[in-house]
Amino acid sequence: MSESVHEISPKVTMNYLKSEIFYGWFKNRAIPGPLLWADAYEKIKMIENIEEDDDMLNDEGTIDYLSRLSGMDYGAFKKLWDRLTNEQKREVLDSVIDELAFFGIRSLFHRIAFELTYYGIFTGKKFNMKDVAKVVEAAKDYLNKRIDYHELMETIANVLWPSEEDKKSTAYEDFWRGADLADYVGDNTLNKIIKEYLVEKVGNRYSLLS
């Protein structure tokens, strides 16, 4: 931002800070791994805590946290942040939450699809076609409103981590944190992601191999 901060409209400032916070986080997560969706979930929870009251929105610790998340210099971030009303600050943070949730849950389903079609990233296991078919059918049942979202995710979890011992893994816990990102995306968006990754990508590969 080369202009003086006094020449920048609040809307431009808001869009700039939203982008810097999200892409600052994204750059630090440039190589997606099993923790990405869990990290997105944890960041959302932290941001929700910040939004709870005006004091938190303007706390030095909050500004330091957000500036580090964005990768911006503390002073530069604070100058822009201080130009916004508390309502505008909450709008920025709500937009960041939307971005984190969408990217996090899309990454989770991308990884699930990759796991079921190419094997071994999550668990180091090779899945048989019967297990893969369970997930595809559950996804179709979810999209046709025969089962709910939790039942779909339970089916996926039980395929990826079938035993109680398997479920003690950090990856299993992270899976459920990622699954909870569904609370932050709309039903239509969630349905499109599930259709794309489970019905189309996994389902098409399953039909070729079966």
Side-chain angles (χ1 to χ4, degrees), residues 108-116 122 153 156 175 198:
L108 173 63
F109 279 99
H110 173 82
R111 183 54 60 88
I112 291 166
F114 194 90
E115 181 78 5
L116 293 172
F122 259 143
M153 300 313 282
I156 297 169
F175 169 87
L198 300 186

Side-chain angles (χ1 to χ4, degrees), residues 28-83:
N28 288 329
R29 305 293 315 184
I31 304 174
L35 294 175
L36 187 146
W37 36 89
D39 191 54
Y41 178 80
E42 295 301 329
K43 293 298 185 292
I44 287 172
K45 289 300 179 185
M46 179 67 75
I47 291 170
E48 285 182 328
N49 287 337
I50 290 169
E51 289 183 311
E52 283 183 359
D53 62 69
D54 292 348
D55 289 340
M56 279 292 289
L57 280 172
N58 298 290
D59 182 74
E60 286 186 9
T62 291
I63 297 170
D64 179 61
Y65 173 77
L66 294 174
S67 67
R68 285 188 288 107
L69 194 59
S70 70
M72 291 177 64
D73 172 75
Y74 175 89
F77 187 94
K78 188 175 189 304
K79 281 181 182 179
L80 294 173
W81 191 247
D82 286 348
R83 294 189 69 240

Side-chain angles (χ1 to χ4, degrees), residues 29-210:
R29 305 293 315 184
I31 304 174
L35 294 175
L36 187 146
W37 36 89
D39 191 54
Y41 178 80
E42 295 301 329
K43 293 298 185 292
I44 287 172
K45 289 300 179 185
M46 179 67 75
I47 291 170
E48 285 182 328
N49 287 337
I50 290 169
E51 289 183 311
E52 283 183 359
D53 62 69
D54 292 348
D55 289 340
M56 279 292 289
L57 280 172
N58 298 290
D59 182 74
E60 286 186 9
T62 291
I63 297 170
D64 179 61
Y65 173 77
L66 294 174
S67 67
R68 285 188 288 107
L69 194 59
S70 70
M72 291 177 64
D73 172 75
Y74 175 89
F77 187 94
K78 188 175 189 304
K79 281 181 182 179
L80 294 173
W81 191 247
D82 286 348
R83 294 189 69 240
L84 302 178
T85 66
N86 288 338
E87 182 180 353
Q88 289 169 336
K89 290 170 184 174
R90 286 189 173 91
E91 284 187 45
V92 170
L93 296 179
D94 283 343
S95 295
V96 172
I97 286 173
D98 290 343
E99 295 277 2
L100 288 168
F102 175 76
F103 186 77
I105 201 160
R106 187 178 178 87
S107 298
L108 173 63
F109 279 99
H110 173 82
R111 183 54 60 88
I112 291 166
F114 194 90
E115 181 78 5
L116 293 172
T117 54
Y118 295 101
Y119 316 117
I121 300 298
F122 259 143
T123 60
K125 297 175 181 177
K126 186 172 182 177
F127 298 97
N128 61 51
M129 289 299 100
K130 183 178 178 181
D131 286 334
V132 175
K134 283 181 187 177
V135 173
V136 174
E137 289 307 310
K140 291 177 180 178
D141 285 344
Y142 165 77
L143 292 171
N144 288 309
K145 303 186 186 314
R146 289 192 286 266
I147 63 173
D148 63 26
Y149 177 71
H150 185 78
E151 289 173 297
L152 168 63
M153 300 313 282
E154 282 277 8
T155 299
I156 297 169
N158 288 334
V159 166
L160 295 178
W161 298 279
S163 73
E164 291 306 311
E165 189 64 29
D166 292 332
K167 289 178 174 63
K168 293 177 182 178
S169 70
T170 301
Y172 176 77
E173 295 176 4
D174 290 339
F175 169 87
W176 283 110
R177 289 188 182 94
D180 285 343
L181 292 171
D183 293 338
Y184 300 93
V185 299
D187 289 343
N188 287 340
T189 298
L190 181 62
N191 291 349
K192 286 178 183 177
I193 291 171
I194 290 170
K195 181 180 179 181
E196 177 186 356
Y197 285 105
L198 300 186
V199 176
E200 294 174 355
K201 292 190 184 303
V202 177
N204 289 347
R205 185 166 173 81
Y206 168 73
S207 65
L208 289 173
L209 295 176
S210 60

